[in-house]
Each structure stands twice: as structure tokens, then as C-alpha cells.
PDB file of all heavy atoms in Angstrom:
ATOM      1  N   LEU W 787     206.365  64.583 -74.757  1.00 98.00           N
ATOM      2  CA  LEU W 787     207.002  63.343 -74.314  1.00 98.00           C
ATOM      3  C   LEU W 787     207.897  63.502 -73.083  1.00 98.00           C
ATOM      4  O   LEU W 787     208.376  62.509 -72.539  1.00 98.00           O
ATOM      5  CB  LEU W 787     207.828  62.745 -75.460  1.00 98.00           C
ATOM      6  CG  LEU W 787     207.054  62.401 -76.735  1.00 98.00           C
ATOM      7  CD1 LEU W 787     207.980  61.775 -77.768  1.00 98.00           C
ATOM      8  CD2 LEU W 787     205.887  61.461 -76.434  1.00 98.00           C
ATOM      9  N   GLY W 788     208.141  64.740 -72.686  1.00 97.00           N
ATOM     10  CA  GLY W 788     208.962  64.954 -71.498  1.00 97.00           C
ATOM     11  C   GLY W 788     210.438  64.734 -71.727  1.00 97.00           C
ATOM     12  O   GLY W 788     211.197  64.493 -70.782  1.00 97.00           O
ATOM     13  N   ARG W 789     210.876  64.838 -72.967  1.00 97.00           N
ATOM     14  CA  ARG W 789     212.296  64.696 -73.291  1.00 97.00           C
ATOM     15  C   ARG W 789     212.580  65.424 -74.593  1.00 97.00           C
ATOM     16  O   ARG W 789     211.710  65.520 -75.468  1.00 97.00           O
ATOM     17  CB  ARG W 789     212.701  63.229 -73.413  1.00 97.00           C
ATOM     18  CG  ARG W 789     211.889  62.444 -74.409  1.00 97.00           C
ATOM     19  CD  ARG W 789     212.404  61.017 -74.559  1.00 97.00           C
ATOM     20  NE  ARG W 789     213.690  60.985 -75.229  1.00 97.00           N
ATOM     21  CZ  ARG W 789     214.505  59.936 -75.202  1.00 97.00           C
ATOM     22  NH1 ARG W 789     214.180  58.860 -74.520  1.00 97.00           N
ATOM     23  NH2 ARG W 789     215.653  59.957 -75.854  1.00 97.00           N
ATOM     24  N   VAL W 790     213.804  65.932 -74.717  1.00 98.00           N
ATOM     25  CA  VAL W 790     214.194  66.672 -75.911  1.00 98.00           C
ATOM     26  C   VAL W 790     214.620  65.667 -76.985  1.00 98.00           C
ATOM     27  O   VAL W 790     215.481  64.816 -76.731  1.00 98.00           O
ATOM     28  CB  VAL W 790     215.352  67.643 -75.611  1.00 98.00           C
ATOM     29  CG1 VAL W 790     215.750  68.406 -76.874  1.00 98.00           C
ATOM     30  CG2 VAL W 790     214.966  68.614 -74.497  1.00 98.00           C
ATOM     31  N   PRO W 791     214.044  65.733 -78.172  1.00 98.00           N
ATOM     32  CA  PRO W 791     214.437  64.789 -79.225  1.00 98.00           C
ATOM     33  C   PRO W 791     215.810  65.120 -79.788  1.00 98.00           C
ATOM     34  O   PRO W 791     216.266  66.271 -79.723  1.00 98.00           O
ATOM     35  CB  PRO W 791     213.353  64.991 -80.287  1.00 98.00           C
ATOM     36  CG  PRO W 791     212.948  66.421 -80.125  1.00 98.00           C
ATOM     37  CD  PRO W 791     213.006  66.681 -78.637  1.00 98.00           C
ATOM     38  N   LEU W 792     216.456  64.114 -80.348  1.00 98.00           N
ATOM     39  CA  LEU W 792     217.679  64.346 -81.100  1.00 98.00           C
ATOM     40  C   LEU W 792     217.277  64.705 -82.526  1.00 98.00           C
ATOM     41  O   LEU W 792     216.597  63.926 -83.205  1.00 98.00           O
ATOM     42  CB  LEU W 792     218.547  63.087 -81.106  1.00 98.00           C
ATOM     43  CG  LEU W 792     219.814  63.139 -81.968  1.00 98.00           C
ATOM     44  CD1 LEU W 792     220.731  64.271 -81.513  1.00 98.00           C
ATOM     45  CD2 LEU W 792     220.549  61.809 -81.924  1.00 98.00           C
ATOM     46  N   HIS W 793     217.674  65.893 -82.972  1.00 98.00           N
ATOM     47  CA  HIS W 793     217.245  66.395 -84.284  1.00 98.00           C
ATOM     48  C   HIS W 793     218.418  66.390 -85.255  1.00 98.00           C
ATOM     49  O   HIS W 793     219.478  66.961 -84.966  1.00 98.00           O
ATOM     50  CB  HIS W 793     216.690  67.818 -84.141  1.00 98.00           C
ATOM     51  CG  HIS W 793     216.389  68.479 -85.447  1.00 98.00           C
ATOM     52  ND1 HIS W 793     216.739  69.796 -85.709  1.00 98.00           N
ATOM     53  CD2 HIS W 793     215.780  68.015 -86.573  1.00 98.00           C
ATOM     54  CE1 HIS W 793     216.343  70.110 -86.932  1.00 98.00           C
ATOM     55  NE2 HIS W 793     215.773  69.040 -87.484  1.00 98.00           N
ATOM     56  N   ILE W 794     218.225  65.755 -86.398  1.00 97.00           N
ATOM     57  CA  ILE W 794     219.189  65.810 -87.493  1.00 97.00           C
ATOM     58  C   ILE W 794     218.570  66.667 -88.595  1.00 97.00           C
ATOM     59  O   ILE W 794     217.588  66.261 -89.226  1.00 97.00           O
ATOM     60  CB  ILE W 794     219.508  64.408 -88.040  1.00 97.00           C
ATOM     61  CG1 ILE W 794     219.962  63.473 -86.912  1.00 97.00           C
ATOM     62  CG2 ILE W 794     220.559  64.496 -89.137  1.00 97.00           C
ATOM     63  CD1 ILE W 794     221.201  63.925 -86.191  1.00 97.00           C
ATOM     64  N   PRO W 795     219.082  67.874 -88.823  1.00 96.00           N
ATOM     65  CA  PRO W 795     218.475  68.772 -89.812  1.00 96.00           C
ATOM     66  C   PRO W 795     218.615  68.248 -91.240  1.00 96.00           C
ATOM     67  O   PRO W 795     219.572  67.535 -91.577  1.00 96.00           O
ATOM     68  CB  PRO W 795     219.245  70.081 -89.624  1.00 96.00           C
ATOM     69  CG  PRO W 795     219.897  69.973 -88.291  1.00 96.00           C
ATOM     70  CD  PRO W 795     220.183  68.522 -88.100  1.00 96.00           C
ATOM     71  N   ALA W 796     217.670  68.631 -92.064  1.00 95.00           N
ATOM     72  CA  ALA W 796     217.687  68.228 -93.469  1.00 95.00           C
ATOM     73  C   ALA W 796     218.781  68.940 -94.240  1.00 95.00           C
ATOM     74  O   ALA W 796     219.359  68.377 -95.179  1.00 95.00           O
ATOM     75  CB  ALA W 796     216.327  68.521 -94.104  1.00 95.00           C
ATOM     76  N   THR W 797     219.064  70.161 -93.874  1.00 89.00           N
ATOM     77  CA  THR W 797     220.076  70.952 -94.588  1.00 89.00           C
ATOM     78  C   THR W 797     221.397  70.896 -93.840  1.00 89.00           C
ATOM     79  O   THR W 797     221.451  71.067 -92.621  1.00 89.00           O
ATOM     80  CB  THR W 797     219.615  72.415 -94.718  1.00 89.00           C
ATOM     81  OG1 THR W 797     219.292  72.918 -93.417  1.00 89.00           O
ATOM     82  CG2 THR W 797     218.381  72.500 -95.600  1.00 89.00           C
ATOM     83  N   TYR W 798     222.445  70.649 -94.594  1.00 84.00           N
ATOM     84  CA  TYR W 798     223.764  70.488 -93.989  1.00 84.00           C
ATOM     85  C   TYR W 798     224.813  70.864 -95.023  1.00 84.00           C
ATOM     86  O   TYR W 798     224.762  70.426 -96.179  1.00 84.00           O
ATOM     87  CB  TYR W 798     223.944  69.039 -93.542  1.00 84.00           C
ATOM     88  CG  TYR W 798     225.328  68.716 -93.036  1.00 84.00           C
ATOM     89  CD1 TYR W 798     225.733  69.106 -91.766  1.00 84.00           C
ATOM     90  CD2 TYR W 798     226.222  68.005 -93.841  1.00 84.00           C
ATOM     91  CE1 TYR W 798     227.005  68.799 -91.297  1.00 84.00           C
ATOM     92  CE2 TYR W 798     227.501  67.689 -93.381  1.00 84.00           C
ATOM     93  CZ  TYR W 798     227.886  68.097 -92.102  1.00 84.00           C
ATOM     94  OH  TYR W 798     229.132  67.797 -91.644  1.00 84.00           O
ATOM     95  N   ASN W 799     225.744  71.685 -94.647  1.00 76.00           N
ATOM     96  CA  ASN W 799     226.813  72.134 -95.542  1.00 76.00           C
ATOM     97  C   ASN W 799     228.069  71.309 -95.266  1.00 76.00           C
ATOM     98  O   ASN W 799     228.770  71.526 -94.286  1.00 76.00           O
ATOM     99  CB  ASN W 799     227.098  73.624 -95.329  1.00 76.00           C
ATOM    100  CG  ASN W 799     228.022  74.181 -96.393  1.00 76.00           C
ATOM    101  OD1 ASN W 799     228.893  73.485 -96.904  1.00 76.00           O
ATOM    102  ND2 ASN W 799     227.840  75.463 -96.719  1.00 76.00           N
ATOM    103  N   ALA W 800     228.311  70.344 -96.134  1.00 75.00           N
ATOM    104  CA  ALA W 800     229.455  69.450 -95.928  1.00 75.00           C
ATOM    105  C   ALA W 800     230.778  70.204 -96.001  1.00 75.00           C
ATOM    106  O   ALA W 800     231.743  69.849 -95.317  1.00 75.00           O
ATOM    107  CB  ALA W 800     229.415  68.334 -96.960  1.00 75.00           C
ATOM    108  N   ALA W 801     230.833  71.255 -96.815  1.00 73.00           N
ATOM    109  CA  ALA W 801     232.087  71.995 -96.987  1.00 73.00           C
ATOM    110  C   ALA W 801     232.507  72.692 -95.702  1.00 73.00           C
ATOM    111  O   ALA W 801     233.693  72.765 -95.369  1.00 73.00           O
ATOM    112  CB  ALA W 801     231.940  73.008 -98.117  1.00 73.00           C
ATOM    113  N   THR W 802     231.507  73.207 -94.973  1.00 73.00           N
ATOM    114  CA  THR W 802     231.812  73.930 -93.730  1.00 73.00           C
ATOM    115  C   THR W 802     231.491  73.118 -92.483  1.00 73.00           C
ATOM    116  O   THR W 802     231.689  73.579 -91.364  1.00 73.00           O
ATOM    117  CB  THR W 802     231.018  75.242 -93.687  1.00 73.00           C
ATOM    118  OG1 THR W 802     229.613  74.939 -93.717  1.00 73.00           O
ATOM    119  CG2 THR W 802     231.360  76.130 -94.865  1.00 73.00           C
ATOM    120  N   ASN W 803     230.961  71.916 -92.702  1.00 74.00           N
ATOM    121  CA  ASN W 803     230.560  71.052 -91.584  1.00 74.00           C
ATOM    122  C   ASN W 803     229.590  71.774 -90.655  1.00 74.00           C
ATOM    123  O   ASN W 803     229.664  71.685 -89.430  1.00 74.00           O
ATOM    124  CB  ASN W 803     231.783  70.587 -90.788  1.00 74.00           C
ATOM    125  CG  ASN W 803     231.466  69.389 -89.901  1.00 74.00           C
ATOM    126  OD1 ASN W 803     230.611  68.566 -90.239  1.00 74.00           O
ATOM    127  ND2 ASN W 803     232.137  69.289 -88.757  1.00 74.00           N
ATOM    128  N   ALA W 804     228.642  72.495 -91.274  1.00 67.00           N
ATOM    129  CA  ALA W 804     227.737  73.340 -90.503  1.00 67.00           C
ATOM    130  C   ALA W 804     226.281  72.922 -90.710  1.00 67.00           C
ATOM    131  O   ALA W 804     225.874  72.590 -91.821  1.00 67.00           O
ATOM    132  CB  ALA W 804     227.900  74.801 -90.900  1.00 67.00           C
ATOM    133  N   GLU W 805     225.523  72.978 -89.631  1.00 68.00           N
ATOM    134  CA  GLU W 805     224.082  72.745 -89.678  1.00 68.00           C
ATOM    135  C   GLU W 805     223.382  74.105 -89.667  1.00 68.00           C
ATOM    136  O   GLU W 805     223.968  75.128 -89.307  1.00 68.00           O
ATOM    137  CB  GLU W 805     223.639  71.878 -88.500  1.00 68.00           C
ATOM    138  CG  GLU W 805     224.211  70.462 -88.580  1.00 68.00           C
ATOM    139  CD  GLU W 805     223.730  69.573 -87.448  1.00 68.00           C
ATOM    140  OE1 GLU W 805     223.209  70.119 -86.454  1.00 68.00           O
ATOM    141  OE2 GLU W 805     223.870  68.345 -87.553  1.00 68.00           O
ATOM    142  N   PRO W 806     222.107  74.135 -90.041  1.00 64.00           N
ATOM    143  CA  PRO W 806     221.396  75.420 -90.137  1.00 64.00           C
ATOM    144  C   PRO W 806     221.169  76.064 -88.779  1.00 64.00           C
ATOM    145  O   PRO W 806     221.230  75.401 -87.745  1.00 64.00           O
ATOM    146  CB  PRO W 806     220.070  75.026 -90.781  1.00 64.00           C
ATOM    147  CG  PRO W 806     219.874  73.598 -90.394  1.00 64.00           C
ATOM    148  CD  PRO W 806     221.238  72.998 -90.398  1.00 64.00           C
ATOM    149  N   THR W 807     220.928  77.343 -88.801  1.00 58.00           N
ATOM    150  CA  THR W 807     220.600  78.067 -87.576  1.00 58.00           C
ATOM    151  C   THR W 807     219.089  78.181 -87.456  1.00 58.00           C
ATOM    152  O   THR W 807     218.335  77.836 -88.364  1.00 58.00           O
ATOM    153  CB  THR W 807     221.195  79.488 -87.615  1.00 58.00           C
ATOM    154  OG1 THR W 807     220.542  80.232 -88.663  1.00 58.00           O
ATOM    155  CG2 THR W 807     222.685  79.437 -87.895  1.00 58.00           C
ATOM    156  N   GLN W 808     218.630  78.670 -86.312  1.00 52.00           N
ATOM    157  CA  GLN W 808     217.196  78.815 -86.086  1.00 52.00           C
ATOM    158  C   GLN W 808     216.566  79.794 -87.073  1.00 52.00           C
ATOM    159  O   GLN W 808     215.364  79.790 -87.279  1.00 52.00           O
ATOM    160  CB  GLN W 808     216.931  79.289 -84.650  1.00 52.00           C
ATOM    161  CG  GLN W 808     217.235  78.220 -83.598  1.00 52.00           C
ATOM    162  CD  GLN W 808     216.785  78.663 -82.223  1.00 52.00           C
ATOM    163  OE1 GLN W 808     215.940  79.541 -82.082  1.00 52.00           O
ATOM    164  NE2 GLN W 808     217.343  78.053 -81.193  1.00 52.00           N
ATOM    165  N   ALA W 809     217.386  80.629 -87.693  1.00 46.00           N
ATOM    166  CA  ALA W 809     216.846  81.624 -88.615  1.00 46.00           C
ATOM    167  C   ALA W 809     216.477  81.035 -89.976  1.00 46.00           C
ATOM    168  O   ALA W 809     215.821  81.683 -90.787  1.00 46.00           O
ATOM    169  CB  ALA W 809     217.864  82.752 -88.806  1.00 46.00           C
ATOM    170  N   ASP W 810     216.905  79.804 -90.270  1.00 66.00           N
ATOM    171  CA  ASP W 810     216.592  79.183 -91.554  1.00 66.00           C
ATOM    172  C   ASP W 810     215.083  79.060 -91.728  1.00 66.00           C
ATOM    173  O   ASP W 810     214.345  78.781 -90.785  1.00 66.00           O
ATOM    174  CB  ASP W 810     217.257  77.817 -91.657  1.00 66.00           C
ATOM    175  CG  ASP W 810     218.767  77.943 -91.814  1.00 66.00           C
ATOM    176  OD1 ASP W 810     219.201  78.898 -92.460  1.00 66.00           O
ATOM    177  OD2 ASP W 810     219.493  77.093 -91.275  1.00 66.00           O
TER     178      ASP W 810
END
């Protein structure tokens, strides 16, 4: 599409406010 999508990951740690890394 010639543009980077906005990605919202399925896994999210609310306690640490952290999203997964590429290693997941």
C-alpha cells in the first residue's frame, strides 16, 4: 500500500504499560 500501518498488538501488559517485542 505504500504506507506503514498503525498496529495495535493483541498482547498488552496493563501492569507495565508494555506492548510485545519483535521476539514474541
Side-chain angles (χ1 to χ4, degrees):
L787 301 182
R789 56 176 290 163
V790 180
L792 175 59
H793 173 224
I794 306 300
T797 54
Y798 174 77
N799 190 328
T802 61
N803 197 31
E805 294 183 344
T807 66
Q808 290 188 21
D810 289 325

